[in-house]
Amino acid sequence: MSYPELRLLGQWTHTGTLAAGNAYSPAPKLTNAPSLPQGALNGKQVGEVARVVVFSPVSPVTGAADDLQYVQLVLDGKDYPYVWFSGRQDTSMAPPANRVRYGVPISLGRPFIENGKPNGITKATCPPFIDSVSFKAWAGASAVTNPFTVQIWGYVYDSVKLAGDVPEYVPANVEIQDPLNNRSFTVVAHPLAAAGDWRGAWKAKAGGTGQGVGNATPVFPLVRRARNAQAT
């Protein structure tokens, strides 16, 4: 059975000026440097994103936060519609762990394999990809003139070995209670077959861009929504 370890999938630093309203999106690159991966897999792997860390742009003179308005995941070269972060230091929901109480950053889900077995569909929601992971960062109403760094952390599996360990993913349906309205609804779990290599079906699992195959309910739009009472 595959036992993944949380690892740095990519780290990118932007320097210079990012004009107001413009976006920065670095291209993933395959590198042999283990200390600085650049978001690309080797064609025989699958990966999933567990968390994002944003070292926001801040003026070293005044301490004012630059308007890095949004940071969005890009999976396999396509904008991922479910995960967005503020890149501003004063509103960041993806800060470095040492700036978070107890050092636990926001998690996008649990790994596909944990403690030797697959997690259920409401836990194994780390956004999956098969080729590359990167991000797109937008400057807001004013230019970003100070450097910022984005780290993407997650898990990587050998796609064929994983298919040998888990040839078919058959998670249980999940019933969610709504006691306020005296009702419940069911998140339908759609079975997925690896067919010898998980690269073919990987993005159809919960959190993927192909989630909701057949009659299955897309998990991210259903349970990964939150709204603050105030605009923070």
Side-chain angles (χ1 to χ4, degrees):
M1 179 62 71
S2 302
Y3 295 88
E5 294 184 0
L6 185 68
R7 56 181 278 187
L8 183 64
L9 301 175
Q11 175 176 302
W12 299 266
T13 298
H14 180 275
T15 58
T17 298
L18 182 61
N22 283 14
Y24 165 64
S25 186
K29 296 179 181 178
L30 189 62
T31 174
N32 292 323
S35 60
L36 192 61
Q38 293 296 300
L41 299 182
N42 65 12
K44 301 178 181 179
Q45 298 170 315
V46 291
E48 52 187 358
V49 179
R51 63 187 61 155
V52 175
V53 178
V54 180
F55 295 85
S56 303
V58 176
S59 169
V61 178
T62 65
D66 282 357
D67 191 18
L68 186 63
Q69 192 168 19
Y70 299 118
V71 176
Q72 181 185 16
L73 283 177
V74 176
L75 303 181
D76 297 324
K78 297 182 179 180
D79 295 352
Y80 185 67
Y82 306 121
V83 176
W84 299 65
F85 298 98
S86 167
R88 290 179 58 102
Q89 178 172 271
D90 46 4
T91 57
S92 177
M93 295 296 285
N98 61 1
R99 298 180 190 172
V100 184
R101 195 172 192 179
Y102 307 120
V104 180
I106 292 176
S107 171
L108 300 179
R110 303 299 306 167
F112 182 62
I113 299 295
E114 191 169 32
N115 298 322
K117 61 182 181 180
N119 271 315
I121 58 173
T122 54
K123 290 184 178 180
T125 57
C126 291
F129 60 97
I130 61 174
D131 292 313
S132 65
V133 61
S134 184
F135 67 94
K136 185 177 289 185
W138 278 270
S142 58
V144 174
T145 58
N146 291 285
F148 63 90
T149 297
V150 175
Q151 293 180 344
I152 299 177
W153 292 79
Y155 305 94
V156 174
Y157 308 81
D158 180 299
S159 58
V160 174
K161 183 179 186 304
L162 182 62
D165 293 337
V166 186
E168 188 176 20
Y169 180 47
V170 189
N173 294 346
V174 178
E175 185 177 69
I176 298 178
Q177 300 294 325
D178 181 8
L180 183 63
N181 297 299
N182 191 29
R183 63 182 182 180
S184 65
F185 56 94
T186 300
V187 181
V188 179
H190 187 81
L192 295 173
D197 187 335
W198 263 109
R199 284 173 56 87
W202 187 244
K203 293 192 288 186
K205 77 182 191 69
T209 52
Q211 66 177 327
V213 173
N215 295 321
T217 302
V219 173
F220 253 48
L222 179 65
V223 298
R224 292 292 181 181
R225 291 291 177 93
R227 181 178 179 181
N228 288 347
Q230 298 182 13
T232 58

